[in-house]
Amino acid sequence: MPKKKMSWVRWFLIAVLALVLLALTGLGAFQVYLLRSMAPLSGSQQLQRLSSEVEIKRDASDVTHIHASNPMDAWRAIGYVHAQERGWQLAFNRQVMHGELSEWLGATTLETDKLMRTLGIMKAAQAQFDKLPVHVQKALEAYAEGVQAGYASEQWRAPEFVILGINPSKSMKPWTAVDSVGWALMMALDLGGNWGNEFARLMAAQTLTTEDLWKLMPPYPGESRGSKVDIAALYQNLGVYTKETSPQSQTATRQELLASSTLDIGVLEGKGSNNWVVPGSNTRSGMPLLANDPHLGLSAPAVWYFAGLHAPAGQFANGQAHPALDVVGATLPGLPFVVLGRTSQAAWGFTNTAPDVQDLYLEALEGKDSYRTPQGQQAFVVRDEVIKVKGQDAVTIKVRSTRHGPVISDVQPAYAQFLNKDKYAIALRWTALDVDNQTIVAGMEANFARSVADLRQAFSKNHSPMQSVVMADTQGNVLFKAAGKVPVRSAAHDLQGMVPAPGWLSQYDWQSWIPYDQTPEVSQADIEKRGWHATANQKILPPGYAQFLTNDWTGPERFDRIAQLMSAGSKFDANQMKDMQADVHSLAAVRLIPYLQSLTSDHANAAEALPLLKSFKGDMTANSAGALIYAVWIDEVTRAILIPKLGETRFKALFGKRAFRPAIEGVLASQDKSWCGEVGCQALMNKSLDTALDKIVAMQGAKVADWNWGRAHPALSAHKPFGNVKALAPFFDVSGPSAGDNFTVNVGQYWTSSSTVPFASRHAASLRAVYDLANLDESAFIYQTGQSGHPFSPRYKDMKDEWGQVKYRPLRMVTTGPTQILQLRP
């Protein structure tokens, strides 16, 4: 071989070897980082301000049990654990509620920050914290100290901090006791009202008659319309809507509207849950069974962290006695208490009652700085908020408030599209912001409960959001109670909180509050008479109930299915409870089967697809092709009916998190050509099938035998914020095939407004739990990701498959099997 060629080959080999060594070095460095970035789960660590040693055991189910000599040490330790396991989640959530996301992420989150600052989440949290009992304040302070101690280590660096260049022990603002109150308010914001529906009606009424508005958003089945007012005429006469602008301006405004990150805040559809309790008279063991699966937005890591808190009876520093702390279940990173779970003698489960605790008010402007009230002109209360933005100058906004609350029309782009802001502003009245909100106290007291009576008393302090609570104890007692604060509206309030009301008229002001003893309740005797009691966000009011809660109940499909399953059996056991939580029979789909049977098509795939569709019985199983065809078809039907009626901009703004199923069923039942067009509803349905088959071919190929619902409908637990970064999402998101739809007990709500994965399940059972009061250590749970918040930990998504298959892990008070033990020393 020529000398020159040998030299070239040698240098090539040296270069290759250098690249290999560099890659190995990089891999080695990455492995070292991974080892150092994950907090130790065993060994010994120091935690300042402990009164004595705390033992942290992680059991075979990977539930973290904290054993302390007093509750304050237990709450301090769970703060430390939350920072260990969910440090980024805590930090991100803190930035959200403070309206400081843009400081880390730049201008893309500025809209969210503006809304959080305008709502005044942290101002309200501080006022509420100041009114808490001293021992509750001390509990939150102990938790915050634990969080900060967890952040103080130089080693534990979740990848999110590294990628964004944030040092949590040096450059990050501390977690405080007030932040825990703020996070409770953020949960209330997620679950607590209907202001989105009020604005949706206002938006739709610009183009629809009031008659058509009621067809679009009809009353709950069997109910009359919530208001007799001609809503469309009211707003036209008041001059509420903005005037037409130039085509260029309209285009820019529409783009801003559809890009809005806050458009769906205040929308409750899909934010539901299931719970039920079966008394001992209807179980095999003779003791109650209780089941709960709260439906929340899926995220990675999950919203929950399972833990047990254990400490002996004693006294708080103020001399108040407390029983033993012995509780296990779902904690929320950000709060020191078990939110859903059981003590050694009692268990409870929540669903969202969703009363109307948010009202929008049209504030008539009187000059630049004032608005009209029943007593005359009044000045806005104004404050400046300065928002730091990464990569650019800080942004200063003026936040205005009225006697009702913050003016949200100043910061939500949707309002600029439709509202005449020369004449009006829109303010929000919301119970959760009130200074008497002591939901935190309810959470603490429930953790000490030893009976249903204790739980009922504890939840008398629950303020926001109102929850439908089922309870059971080891003495065989069961109870249902709706716990939370709901306003009483005047008999003259003819809009009933369904749309924004004229803020200058006193008839629309709230009058008082429904007393706790008058919120819906079902006694043991009535539960035993029926054999069970369940809630699934349906209308929960007994016949003749005197108080108004809301007109915006979630549809009854899940509750009706639970009732079918309960009525089909008796003498239940825990396994039957689990089977019910797995049920994916959609009663909403069943109602549409007659229309499926009528469909015809000349599509190339119709010969194979139509038999699958026509044999579909409403079971939304993951392996079903019929379920897939049905789901895509009804989505196309919805678009074909609503877009011509609403216009594309309004439709896109309103659709997605609202399915408008009652509206579509009403149109099809009446074969209403004013909605379906002159060709009629049958032709529209047939054409929609052709379009649906085209979409499925694009998604899953032309081979019909390969089609199935599960692949189109993955349960997508998206990371915040890296689920939105294409290169990072595969490492941070958690996804897997799933069953169900918006209306099944095993719910899988999808938002087809998404341009990427339109049928992905994004709102589902955030946890499942079954409690057996015959032996509470035979209780079980599961959720959709894993305990660790570190995306490279084997514990980040180790529950995913069990959750998808509706399997469970034991939820025990005592740690059994292999455990990891971490000692915390003072």
Side-chain angles (χ1 to χ4, degrees):
M1 183 181 293
K3 193 171 184 179
K4 188 174 182 181
K5 187 171 184 180
M6 287 182 65
S7 177
W8 180 88
V9 170
R10 182 179 67 180
W11 283 111
F12 174 76
L13 292 174
I14 289 172
V16 170
L17 180 61
L19 288 172
V20 170
L21 290 173
L22 186 63
L24 290 173
T25 301
L27 179 61
F30 181 65
Q31 289 175 327
V32 170
Y33 158 72
L34 286 184
L35 289 173
R36 288 173 59 87
S37 67
M38 294 184 198
L41 305 183
S42 59
S44 180
Q45 299 284 325
Q46 191 172 31
L47 178 56
Q48 298 292 331
R49 303 199 64 183
L50 287 177
S51 62
S52 60
E53 192 171 273
V54 171
E55 186 175 68
I56 300 175
K57 293 182 176 180
R58 288 170 171 87
D59 67 15
S61 295
D62 202 19
V63 175
T64 301
H65 289 267
I66 295 172
H67 297 268
S69 62
N70 60 74
M72 289 295 170
D73 280 355
W75 295 324
R76 186 173 282 106
I78 189 63
Y80 182 86
V81 167
H82 281 166
Q84 267 195 321
E85 298 267 48
R86 301 293 185 83
W88 171 254
Q89 185 179 34
L90 273 172
F92 184 87
N93 291 344
R94 186 207 167 278
Q95 296 300 108
V96 172
M97 62 189 172
H98 279 262
E100 295 176 355
L101 268 181
S102 301
E103 191 172 340
W104 287 0
L105 303 179
T108 56
T109 54
L110 190 54
E111 183 186 326
T112 300
D113 286 347
K114 287 180 179 180
L115 180 60
M116 292 304 109
R117 298 290 185 95
T118 298
L119 291 175
I121 294 293
M122 297 314 300
K123 284 178 78 275
Q126 181 67 64
Q128 292 169 13
F129 176 83
D130 292 343
K131 295 289 186 180
L132 293 176
V134 172
H135 69 286
V136 181
Q137 291 179 340
K138 295 298 183 185
L140 300 184
E141 288 168 356
Y143 176 80
E145 291 164 3
V147 171
Q148 285 311 113
Y151 279 137
S153 168
E154 291 296 325
Q155 283 188 308
W156 311 336
R157 289 289 178 272
E160 296 93 337
F161 292 120
V162 176
I163 292 169
L164 293 171
I166 299 165
N167 185 328
S169 65
K170 294 180 179 178
S171 59
M172 196 170 76
K173 294 172 185 173
W175 185 275
T176 69
V178 176
D179 288 332
S180 290
V181 181
W183 193 239
L185 283 176
M186 291 300 293
M187 292 304 295
L189 179 61
D190 189 45
L191 297 172
N194 76 327
W195 107 56
N197 275 353
E198 288 192 38
F199 186 72
R201 291 187 179 98
L202 175 69
M203 193 188 304
Q206 186 179 15
T207 190
L208 297 181
T209 65
T210 298
E211 185 68 24
D212 279 346
L213 180 62
W214 281 109
K215 290 180 181 178
L216 179 70
M217 302 177 77
Y220 189 81
E223 297 291 305
S224 59
R225 295 176 179 179
S227 174
K228 295 180 180 179
V229 173
D230 186 340
I231 295 167
L234 170 70
Y235 290 142
Q236 293 293 343
N237 292 336
L238 288 174
V240 165
Y241 299 110
T242 188
K243 297 174 182 176
E244 290 290 330
T245 57
S246 68
Q248 295 86 351
S249 178
Q250 289 180 33
T251 299
T253 306
R254 288 190 192 107
Q255 288 173 346
E256 185 181 14
L257 168 67
L258 298 178
S260 170
S261 59
T262 62
L263 185 61
D264 291 320
I265 292 178
V267 178
L268 273 175
E269 186 166 324
K271 293 179 180 177
S273 307
N274 306 313
N275 67 12
W276 57 83
V277 64
V278 182
S281 57
N282 198 24
T283 68
R284 293 184 185 180
S285 69
M287 293 298 290
L289 292 164
L290 189 149
N292 189 200
D293 55 298
H295 307 157
L296 298 171
L298 300 181
S299 63
V303 66
W304 305 110
Y305 182 86
F306 267 72
L309 304 174
H310 312 278
Q315 289 186 337
F316 294 118
N318 63 359
Q320 180 178 333
H322 64 78
L325 178 66
D326 216 13
V327 61
V328 64
T331 69
L332 280 172
L335 294 170
F337 314 124
V338 170
V339 177
L340 292 168
R342 68 175 186 88
T343 66
S344 58
Q345 295 170 272
W348 70 95
F350 290 166
T351 67
N352 201 31
T353 313
D356 187 350
V357 295
Q358 293 175 342
D359 273 357
L360 294 181
Y361 288 91
L362 286 166
E363 307 289 17
L365 303 182
E366 299 280 356
K368 182 180 177 182
D369 302 315
S370 300
Y371 65 100
R372 193 184 315 158
T373 77
Q375 290 76 40
Q377 185 173 307
Q378 186 168 323
F380 288 102
V381 176
V382 181
R383 70 179 191 275
D384 286 343
E385 292 281 351
V386 180
I387 304 172
K388 294 181 181 179
V389 184
K390 185 177 181 179
Q392 68 177 62
D393 293 339
V395 173
T396 300
I397 63 170
K398 286 195 177 296
V399 175
R400 299 188 294 175
S401 295
T402 72
R403 67 192 186 94
H404 295 115
V407 175
I408 60 173
S409 57
D410 287 347
V411 291
Q412 287 198 276
Y415 294 79
Q417 172 79 18
F418 301 103
L419 182 68
N420 183 349
K421 295 179 75 173
D422 293 329
K423 292 184 67 174
Y424 296 103
I426 292 183
L428 171 68
R429 177 75 173 97
W430 178 29
T431 56
L433 297 176
D434 289 358
V435 71
D436 65 340
N437 184 347
Q438 296 212 340
T439 298
I440 292 282
V441 181
M444 174 189 274
E445 293 186 1
N447 281 205
F448 290 101
R450 291 169 290 180
S451 66
V452 162
D454 288 347
L455 287 170
R456 187 187 185 281
Q457 176 59 31
F459 291 127
S460 69
K461 313 268 186 13
N462 190 69
H463 186 293
S464 303
M466 184 181 233
Q467 296 293 287
S468 295
V469 192
V470 291
M471 315 169 216
D473 64 29
T474 53
Q475 299 302 307
N477 300 304
V478 294
L479 186 73
F480 163 77
K481 183 65 176 173
K485 194 165 183 179
V486 182
V488 174
R489 293 170 174 84
S490 164
H493 194 318
D494 52 5
L495 297 174
Q496 284 295 294
M498 301 199 70
V499 291
W504 57 93
L505 299 178
S506 60
Q507 72 192 71
Y508 298 116
D509 291 343
W510 295 353
Q511 306 298 305
S512 59
W513 307 97
I514 301 176
Y516 184 63
D517 285 342
Q518 293 180 26
T519 63
E521 183 168 341
V522 180
S523 68
Q524 170 131 5
D526 286 338
I527 293 174
E528 288 183 338
K529 183 178 179 180
R530 189 178 199 177
W532 54 275
H533 185 80
T535 73
N537 317 109
Q538 83 286 2
K539 182 182 177 183
I540 60 165
L541 306 183
Y545 184 71
Q547 304 285 4
F548 170 79
L549 261 62
T550 185
N551 284 304
D552 283 329
W553 301 102
T554 296
E557 290 83 5
R558 281 182 289 111
F559 172 79
D560 289 345
R561 179 58 179 164
I562 293 167
Q564 286 181 356
L565 295 169
M566 286 290 189
S567 300
S570 63
K571 299 298 180 183
F572 292 98
D573 62 23
N575 286 331
Q576 289 168 291
M577 304 294 96
K578 295 172 185 176
D579 289 343
M580 287 174 60
Q581 288 185 333
D583 188 81
V584 291
H585 187 66
S586 175
L587 295 185
V590 169
R591 290 199 296 267
L592 294 176
I593 286 176
Y595 304 113
L596 301 181
Q597 298 296 326
S598 72
L599 294 175
T600 60
S601 173
D602 294 324
H603 192 277
N605 297 99
E608 293 178 86
L610 274 173
L612 295 171
L613 186 59
K614 294 188 177 186
S615 63
F616 171 66
K617 302 300 182 185
D619 296 316
M620 301 299 294
T621 55
N623 63 356
S624 170
L628 171 65
I629 302 167
Y630 151 75
V632 182
W633 168 78
I634 190 58
D635 180 63
E636 291 302 315
V637 169
T638 302
R639 293 169 184 274
I641 290 175
L642 295 187
I643 289 175
K645 202 75 174 177
L646 291 172
E648 192 162 359
T649 299
R650 279 185 188 79
F651 175 79
K652 287 182 177 179
L654 295 173
F655 190 54
K657 290 190 178 181
R658 296 179 186 85
F660 291 112
R661 185 61 62 84
I664 300 307
E665 289 188 32
V667 169
L668 295 182
S670 61
Q671 295 288 293
D672 191 338
K673 284 190 174 183
S674 70
W675 289 76
C676 288
E678 284 305 312
V679 296
C681 293
Q682 186 63 55
L684 180 146
M685 290 190 292
N686 290 339
K687 185 178 180 181
S688 295
L689 177 60
D690 292 341
T691 310
L693 294 176
D694 285 338
K695 282 196 172 181
I696 297 171
V697 169
M699 285 191 295
Q700 298 195 359
K703 190 176 179 182
V704 176
D706 292 340
W707 293 359
N708 72 69
W709 176 230
R711 278 197 293 138
H713 184 62
L716 178 58
S717 298
H719 181 274
K720 297 175 183 178
F722 294 149
N724 295 318
V725 181
K726 190 173 182 180
L728 295 176
F731 300 100
F732 288 86
D733 288 352
V734 177
S735 182
S738 70
D741 71 1
N742 300 16
F743 308 97
T744 53
V745 176
N746 184 6
V747 77
Q749 188 193 27
Y750 50 89
W751 307 332
T752 58
S753 54
S754 166
S755 60
T756 52
V757 195
F759 293 95
S761 173
R762 298 172 185 272
H763 213 280
S766 61
L767 69 84
R768 300 186 186 99
V770 174
Y771 305 97
D772 188 342
L773 278 296
N775 181 358
L776 275 168
D777 268 353
E778 291 301 312
S779 300
F781 83 102
I782 199 67
Y783 64 93
Q784 89 284 1
T785 58
Q787 291 278 77
S788 175
H790 195 304
F792 298 110
S793 166
R795 301 167 50 248
Y796 183 67
K797 54 183 177 182
D798 62 321
M799 297 188 198
K800 178 189 77 169
D801 292 338
E802 293 166 279
W803 178 86
Q805 297 161 17
V806 197
K807 295 181 179 179
Y808 296 77
R809 293 185 179 186
L811 183 62
R812 297 189 171 121
M813 196 69 75
V814 295
T815 50
T816 59
T819 59
Q820 293 175 298
I821 301 176
L822 177 67
Q823 303 286 347
L824 295 182
R825 297 174 283 101

